[in-house]
Amino acid sequence: MKPQTRVLPDSNQLIIAATEQFVSTARNAIAKRGVFYVALAGGSTPKGLYQQLAQSPYRDQVDWQRVHFFFGDERCVPADHDDSNFKMARLAMLDALPVPDSNVHRMPTELGEAKAVAVAYAETIKQTMQSAPFDLVLLGLGPDGHIASLFPDTPALTVTDTITTDLYVEKFDSWRVTLTYAVINAARQVIVFIAGEAKAAIVHDITTQTVTGLPVQKLAPSGDYYWYMDQAASGQ
Ligand code: 6PG
């Protein structure tokens, strides 16, 4: 499925544009339904976006009490580990926002087994959101075309009967838990957030269809679908 693409001249303008989109989506969801359910991306790219959201004026534009933060994926490490996506988001944004702790739903990696984390997290999503879809799923793009922890040639790509799954990622020698396509595609809005020259090759291969069948290319969002990137990543 082809996304609507927005290319910004540099990483700072990309962050501002994506921050404004996030705030607008959050405000609309809260106005319509009284709540905003968002799944955050991990990795390094979104850190700047999270830091911007935690600063004025953006932090003053959302009723954070009505926001529920989830995570699109997580490394199976302790919540205070430097590799933790939760820790990255907590330090970049969550600690600075007036969001109730009960509205921040990290993956319970303290359970140990990745499978147990995946099962417990699926329950948390269902109990918190009931049958509502995510209002927004934020995704980064890996250089191999992965999104969340939906890595190429892994069983996670074919899971259809659950909203979360666990997987072992050989190249990182690490267990991960990820949202599956079913729940990402059901979101009202999906944003893939891409920055930097290091992503130009994968972006080129995808946009020219030089490569096909990558995890990001299997996305089929039923709602709004955007790619936000800077010129360095777009190769323009
Ligand atoms: C993770 C992420 C992963 C990330 C991409 C891009 O846990 O690593 O969820 O999907 O978004 O690998 O990572 P960068 O933003 O660091 O390039």
Side-chain angles (χ1 to χ4, degrees):
M1 177 171 185
K2 275 183 76 65
Q4 299 175 62
T5 300
R6 290 203 61 192
V7 179
L8 285 303
D10 57 47
S11 59
N12 289 333
Q13 293 182 68
L14 170 64
I15 286 172
I16 295 298
T19 303
E20 290 173 349
Q21 175 74 19
F22 182 107
V23 167
S24 166
T25 303
R27 290 172 62 88
N28 288 338
I30 292 167
K32 283 182 188 161
R33 293 176 292 277
V35 67
F36 176 55
Y37 297 122
V38 55
L40 297 178
S44 55
T45 305
K47 187 174 176 181
L49 165 60
Y50 300 161
Q51 290 169 330
Q52 194 70 48
L53 280 165
Q55 290 170 25
S56 185
Y58 305 105
R59 59 169 289 124
D60 309 317
Q61 295 173 355
V62 177
D63 180 355
W64 300 103
Q65 303 276 327
R66 293 180 174 274
V67 178
H68 281 265
F69 287 102
F70 294 83
F71 291 82
D73 70 327
E74 187 55 279
R75 297 82 179 271
C76 288
V77 296
D80 61 355
H81 191 285
D82 284 347
D83 287 349
S84 165
N85 287 334
F86 163 73
K87 179 177 179 182
M88 182 275 282
R90 182 176 66 77
L91 295 178
M93 171 175 65
L94 297 172
D95 281 356
L97 290 178
V99 57
D101 288 348
S102 57
N103 283 24
V104 178
H105 310 281
R106 65 176 178 80
M107 293 197 190
T109 54
E110 62 276 11
L111 294 177
E113 286 283 305
K115 184 72 182 165
V117 176
V119 169
Y121 203 57
E123 270 316 297
T124 297
I125 292 172
K126 288 173 189 168
Q127 284 171 16
T128 309
M129 295 172 48
Q130 305 294 315
S131 57
F134 278 105
D135 293 296
L136 173 59
V137 174
L138 279 175
L139 298 168
L141 178 67
D144 58 359
H146 80 261
I147 32 116
S149 282
L150 295 167
F151 282 86
D153 309 314
T154 62
L157 298 181
T158 54
V159 172
T160 54
D161 59 342
T162 63
I163 56 176
T164 62
T165 192
D166 61 305
L167 70 153
Y168 177 71
V169 184
E170 203 148 333
K171 65 176 154 184
F172 296 136
D173 185 22
S174 79
W175 282 91
R176 295 203 174 189
V177 174
T178 185
L179 297 185
T180 56
Y181 282 117
V183 70
I184 298 172
N185 286 336
R188 297 177 195 274
Q189 185 176 130
V190 173
I191 297 177
V192 182
F193 188 64
I194 315 167
E197 203 166 347
K199 300 292 172 68
I202 190 65
V203 167
H204 172 271
D205 288 351
I206 292 167
T207 50
T208 58
Q209 299 277 318
T210 307
V211 180
T212 55
L214 295 175
V216 67
Q217 293 171 302
K218 296 175 188 281
L219 270 181
S222 56
D224 299 330
Y225 178 30
Y226 299 100
W227 276 26
Y228 272 70
M229 54 185 161
D230 59 14
Q231 272 177 357
S234 75
Q236 286 176 11

